[in-house]
Amino acid sequence: MVCRAVKKVHDQIKSSAMPGLPLIWSEFNATYQNLPDVTDTVFMGPWMADTIRQCDGLVDILSYWTFSDVFEEQGVVKQPFYGGYGLIAAGGIPKPAYVAFELLHQLGDARLSMDSNSALLTRRKDGTLVLALWNYAPPDQTGAVKQFTLRWKNAALKRASIQRVDTDHSNVLATYEKLGRPAYPTRKQIDAMRDGAKLSAPEIKKLDQGFTISIPGHGLVVMELR
């Protein structure tokens, strides 16, 4: 939905009398409603990556709506996760969308051509390849595990550094569940949720001429290939 709207306005500008006008999209998100199963969950990782894949090159600035769940139009926050539009929940708790941005920020400056609707391949200025892979499923569906087999030619790749956001990795909601879903968490509980939201240490894998990686539904993987 987001990228169809962006492309429509992009095409209107290009066909107008002022085709050089910048396109600044100041608000975008996966929903305009408070839907905890959408904006609070790891669903946002694949959704964000796929939105970037589709909108790349169509817009000068694409600004996520919003930074914080403490949002004046919503009134006083009554619990940490209520389906707010922000990247960070009340108490400064990073949501999966925030961690997905942190992970995707590792992508390189140049996008390389790839015929896939579940991948983004980029190259940094130092030559490092950075690949994003995801397993998109609608927010009301778990989605089956997908396997991605990577192969390459004419490249001396020796190792992959892999990080994930999914149900079992960097998912603050898993920590929230273990704490009993407190409506008004203590400082100690807030610190525990912040820790649960952090990106885990990279998994290092030695490479040959290819390898296969499994990604669960709603999972996002970003890997450095060297």
Side-chain angles (χ1 to χ4, degrees):
M1 179 186 68
V2 170
C3 295
R4 286 200 302 269
V6 167
K7 187 176 187 309
K8 178 181 179 181
V9 179
H10 172 271
D11 292 347
Q12 288 172 336
I13 291 173
K14 292 303 176 185
S15 62
S16 74
M18 301 180 70
L21 283 175
L23 176 54
I24 298 172
W25 211 272
S26 63
E27 294 182 356
F28 84 99
N29 205 317
T31 179
Y32 58 89
Q33 298 175 303
N34 292 143
L35 300 177
D37 289 343
V38 177
T39 50
D40 290 343
T41 69
V42 294
F43 162 81
M44 293 301 295
W47 183 86
M48 196 83 67
D50 198 48
T51 297
I52 291 170
R53 177 187 70 84
Q54 294 183 65
C55 288
D56 179 36
L58 298 177
V59 63
D60 295 270
I61 296 175
L62 192 65
S63 178
Y64 188 86
W65 176 56
T66 60
F67 186 75
S68 174
D69 271 356
V70 182
F71 188 60
E72 77 281 1
E73 293 178 13
Q74 300 291 317
V76 176
V77 175
K78 298 180 176 62
Q79 61 187 36
F81 303 105
Y82 65 93
Y85 310 126
L87 296 170
I88 293 180
I93 303 168
K95 294 163 62 173
Y98 179 96
V99 186
F101 263 122
E102 184 179 3
L103 201 52
L104 291 166
H105 190 65
Q106 299 178 23
L107 292 171
D109 306 282
R111 180 176 175 180
L112 305 182
S113 178
M114 176 175 280
D115 184 17
S116 174
N117 61 5
S118 300
L120 269 172
L121 179 61
T122 66
R123 182 173 52 228
R124 293 181 185 157
K125 292 179 180 178
D126 65 0
T128 301
L129 298 178
V130 186
L131 175 67
L133 296 171
W134 57 90
N135 183 355
Y136 178 89
D140 59 346
Q141 299 177 23
T142 304
V145 174
K146 286 186 178 179
Q147 288 193 329
F148 294 81
T149 299
L150 310 180
R151 295 188 180 91
W152 49 88
K153 296 179 181 179
N154 304 320
L157 300 177
K158 301 298 183 183
R159 70 168 204 161
S161 177
I162 303 167
Q163 289 183 292
R164 302 171 180 263
V165 177
D166 56 39
T167 302
D168 298 322
H169 297 85
S170 305
N171 178 18
V172 67
L173 291 188
T175 305
Y176 186 55
E177 291 288 344
K178 290 178 182 177
L179 294 172
R181 300 181 63 85
Y184 297 99
T186 64
R187 173 55 56 188
K188 185 176 180 180
Q189 289 173 325
I190 289 173
D191 288 342
M193 284 188 277
R194 287 177 178 173
D195 286 340
K198 290 179 180 177
L199 278 173
S200 54
E203 170 193 347
I204 305 300
K205 185 175 180 63
K206 292 183 179 180
L207 302 179
D208 190 4
Q209 288 301 306
F211 75 101
T212 298
I213 185 169
S214 297
I215 303 179
H218 302 162
L220 169 66
V221 168
V222 172
M223 63 180 76
E224 294 180 352
L225 301 168
R226 296 178 183 268

